[in-house]
Amino acid sequence: MALQPYNNDSAKALALLPQLTPEERERREKEAEVLDEKLRYIVENVPDRVYHVMGSNAGAGSGEFHTYRASRRREQERQARMEAEFQEAKKLATIQERVSRLAEIDEERTAQRRAKRQKKKAKAASRSKGTSDSGGEAGQDAGAPSSHSPAAAAPGDHAPPNLALD
């Protein structure tokens, strides 16, 4: 027997019910909508054609065993495919979780190392500012160029010009 076309009669059925509280009526309407959606899916997507049906008055003949065996094999193959797809999806989900976890750990380590580098750089910058503010290295007078400034380079050296725009 083929399935009949879908007909949404749930609203009519709810109208025939005795008086309900608004909350109960709303809950039942939601349940009916969910069930209607499921039924619509079944009617539209589930095939209703049946192959190799035996007659109603005949017993199983000698050829029916092979028909049964073929349909059983098809069903077992379908279930094996579904299981393999599930295992593959499970494996991919595990791998994706591991990759994201490792990326998160890597990002944390990178952030820690970045902070350490910036801290070291800031410390070195404050150290160099501290020595220039005090007049250069110990033992030098404030007017003499330090060994680290471009003016102290030998005449043959090609030091970059001072580009500070003060």
Side-chain angles (χ1 to χ4, degrees):
M1 176 180 141
L3 293 174
Q4 299 299 318
Y6 177 73
N7 187 3
N8 185 1
D9 290 333
S10 62
K12 294 176 191 173
L14 284 174
L16 298 175
L17 290 176
Q19 293 296 327
L20 300 173
T21 64
E23 295 85 18
E24 180 68 19
R25 184 175 192 84
E26 185 177 327
R27 185 184 65 79
R28 286 189 180 186
E29 286 175 356
K30 286 181 182 178
E31 288 177 1
E33 288 173 10
V34 170
L35 289 174
D36 286 341
E37 186 66 31
K38 288 180 182 179
L39 180 61
R40 186 177 301 115
Y41 175 82
I42 290 170
V43 169
E44 292 172 357
N45 296 323
V46 175
D48 59 343
R49 188 166 179 178
V50 179
Y51 296 96
H52 303 294
V53 179
M54 291 184 291
S56 61
N57 62 355
S62 61
E64 298 305 320
F65 170 72
H66 304 292
T67 304
Y68 160 74
R69 193 170 63 179
S71 69
R72 181 172 173 247
R73 177 185 49 80
R74 282 192 302 270
E75 178 64 16
Q76 287 177 340
E77 287 174 355
R78 184 185 72 84
Q79 288 180 355
R81 272 194 317 272
M82 287 173 35
E83 183 65 25
E85 289 172 3
F86 173 74
Q87 293 299 330
E88 185 68 22
K90 191 174 172 182
K91 183 193 286 186
L92 288 175
T94 304
I95 290 171
Q96 187 65 25
E97 177 189 343
R98 185 168 184 246
V99 165
S100 64
R101 189 176 66 237
L102 290 175
E104 185 179 312
I105 290 170
D106 188 37
E107 183 62 34
E108 288 176 10
R109 287 181 183 165
T110 303
Q112 288 175 348
R113 291 176 181 161
R114 182 183 309 118
K116 188 176 179 180
R117 279 194 310 273
Q118 290 173 349
K119 184 177 176 183
K120 187 177 179 182
K121 192 175 185 180
K123 190 174 182 181
S126 67
R127 225 183 260 158
S128 66
K129 284 182 182 179
T131 56
S132 64
D133 290 344
S134 63
E137 295 178 13
Q140 288 187 345
D141 52 313
S146 71
S147 61
H148 297 291
S149 68
D157 291 342
H158 298 288
N162 191 358
L163 300 176
L165 300 173
D166 291 333

